[in-house]
Amino acid sequence: MSNLSTIGVIGAGNVGAAIVNALVLRNIGKEIILYNRDKKKAIAEAMDIDDTIPLLSEMQVSATNSYKDLENCLIIAITVGARQKENETRLELLERNSLIIKEIVKELDKVAPEAILLIVSNPVDILTRVAQNFSIRENKKIFGSGTVLDTSRLRYQLGKELHVNRKNVHVHVVGEHGDSEFAVWSNAIIGSIKLDEFPLEKGVNLESIKENSMQIVKRRAYEIIEKKGYTNFGVAVAVVKLIQCVIRDERKIFSVSVGANEEYGLKKGVVLSLPCIIGSQGVIHRLILSYDDKEKKQLENAARSLDDAYNKIN
């Protein structure tokens, strides 16, 4: 695949606009189409971002409120979601967002049945499953942004703690994209050395480093939301990395929201964040990680929780 591709982004809110902006800054794609029900909002965001193009590489950003305009997209990122109302339960909010995703997928199945759908809306694991079960396209062409950002946060933090470049830190955050997510420490490596065998400075405790790093990862979004009301820039770049991987067929490994492999022994159809090879056809291969007993239980608990939530809305 070439970089000269058309990319769709559904939703001109904080996350959707940040994704379009990051695509332009990184020069990913030939044309970006921003869809929003309120076309004036989409036009305003597209115009504002379009003003950066004379200072950067040539590409096109356009706005629409018609799904038909997305028919030539290779990949479409879906960022829309209802805001929680006063006194509304999380389950009620999930039900509303599930209906929104179903409506979007129905329209995209008509106009762009071959496009890859990247679900960004939260709760991303459950809504990815909703999209997969409602769409006519193959499951490999629908995946969620999962724990890509969480994994990158952990690798960066662990690299800081160990005084190693983050690119040499290999560990995955998996499970639910949420409070129950966990790091697969049992097969973490630094370069080609197992984390448990990596030489530490005198007096440094590895377990403390692990716990501290994971706590920082889990608290990060809460701290940002507490201070500014939402997160958008970090997740936008994570999504753009996935989009780039698809349109350039890079076949890199990311922890994304997918149906679990049979080998994990989880209930069929459960979607959660697991490492996959991503390329021009979407999910090229779902990789199988080895887990210790504690991690296996954490994965099973995450799968059970996500399955229960899904079944309550379907």
Side-chain angles (χ1 to χ4, degrees):
M1 304 300 293
S2 76
N3 191 40
L4 300 178
S5 303
T6 302
I7 299 163
V9 177
I10 294 181
N14 296 319
V15 173
I19 290 170
V20 176
N21 189 49
L23 285 166
V24 171
L25 290 174
R26 291 181 60 83
N27 191 28
I28 307 298
K30 174 189 71 173
E31 180 183 13
I32 305 163
I33 301 172
L34 179 59
Y35 171 95
N36 201 68
R37 282 189 305 176
D38 178 358
K39 190 175 180 180
K40 287 201 319 188
K41 167 69 170 167
I43 289 172
E45 294 291 1
M47 288 176 66
D48 198 9
I49 295 167
D50 196 54
D51 276 347
T52 69
I53 290 175
L55 301 166
L56 301 165
S57 299
E58 189 66 31
M59 61 195 305
Q60 183 178 339
V61 179
S62 57
T64 186
N65 62 352
S66 171
Y67 286 106
K68 187 78 168 61
D69 291 333
L70 300 170
E71 63 182 353
N72 294 320
C73 291
L74 175 66
I75 181 168
I76 301 169
I78 301 173
T79 73
V80 295
R83 290 183 180 273
Q84 195 160 4
K85 297 177 181 177
E86 188 175 352
N87 299 321
E88 182 179 39
T89 66
R90 289 183 68 187
L91 182 59
E92 288 169 338
L93 176 64
L94 175 56
E95 287 175 339
R96 286 203 293 140
N97 280 333
S98 173
L99 291 174
I100 291 170
I101 292 296
K102 286 179 179 178
E103 180 60 30
I104 291 170
V105 167
K106 184 172 94 171
E107 296 297 330
L108 294 180
D109 279 354
K110 293 176 189 173
V111 301
E114 296 301 316
I116 292 162
L117 305 186
L118 172 50
I119 311 299
V120 186
S121 310
N122 277 316
V124 66
D125 302 300
I126 298 171
L127 295 181
T128 298
R129 185 176 179 182
V130 169
Q132 286 184 346
N133 289 341
F134 200 73
S135 177
I136 62 172
R137 71 199 74 210
E138 298 173 89
N139 281 358
K140 71 178 183 178
K141 289 195 170 186
I142 303 177
F143 61 96
S145 53
T147 52
V148 173
L149 180 56
D150 312 88
T151 295
S152 68
R153 284 171 176 157
L154 181 60
R155 291 177 177 178
Y156 177 73
Q157 183 60 35
L158 193 58
K160 280 175 63 176
E161 297 276 2
L162 299 177
H163 307 293
V164 174
N165 189 297
R166 61 179 172 77
K167 291 184 178 180
N168 295 120
V169 177
H170 305 288
V171 61
H172 287 278
V173 175
V174 302
E176 176 193 12
H177 171 59
D179 293 338
S180 69
E181 66 188 18
F182 64 95
V184 188
W185 294 118
S186 63
N187 59 28
I189 59 172
I190 310 299
S192 58
I193 302 170
K194 290 182 179 179
L195 176 59
D196 289 344
E197 298 172 3
F198 191 77
L200 302 174
E201 295 179 4
K202 190 174 181 180
V204 174
N205 182 278
L206 181 57
E207 293 306 314
S208 294
I209 288 177
K210 289 180 185 178
E211 184 177 350
N212 180 58
S213 297
M214 200 60 207
Q215 283 304 312
I216 288 173
V217 169
K218 287 187 174 183
R219 289 198 307 263
R220 187 76 170 181
Y222 288 114
E223 290 179 10
I224 295 170
I225 291 169
E226 183 184 338
K227 291 175 173 62
K228 65 178 263 190
Y230 57 90
T231 63
N232 60 334
F233 296 122
V235 68
V237 173
V239 169
V240 168
K241 294 283 279 186
L242 290 169
I243 292 173
Q244 175 182 314
C245 205
V246 169
I247 68 173
R248 295 181 181 174
D249 195 25
E250 291 180 337
R251 299 187 176 233
K252 290 181 179 178
I253 298 171
F254 292 100
S255 294
V256 295
S257 304
V258 292
N261 311 56
E262 291 181 8
E263 289 84 351
Y264 287 125
L266 305 176
K267 184 175 176 180
K268 187 176 180 180
V270 173
V271 170
L272 67 173
S273 297
L274 294 166
C276 298
I277 299 173
I278 304 298
S280 62
Q281 293 303 305
V283 178
I284 302 297
H285 192 65
R286 294 175 298 158
L287 303 174
I288 301 169
L289 282 176
S290 59
Y291 298 88
D292 63 23
D293 291 341
K294 179 185 176 183
E295 293 161 352
K296 190 171 186 300
K297 186 160 186 171
Q298 287 175 299
L299 191 68
E300 290 169 350
N301 289 340
R304 192 177 304 112
S305 174
L306 289 166
D307 189 49
D308 288 345
Y310 176 83
N311 289 330
K312 284 176 182 176
I313 60 169
N314 286 278

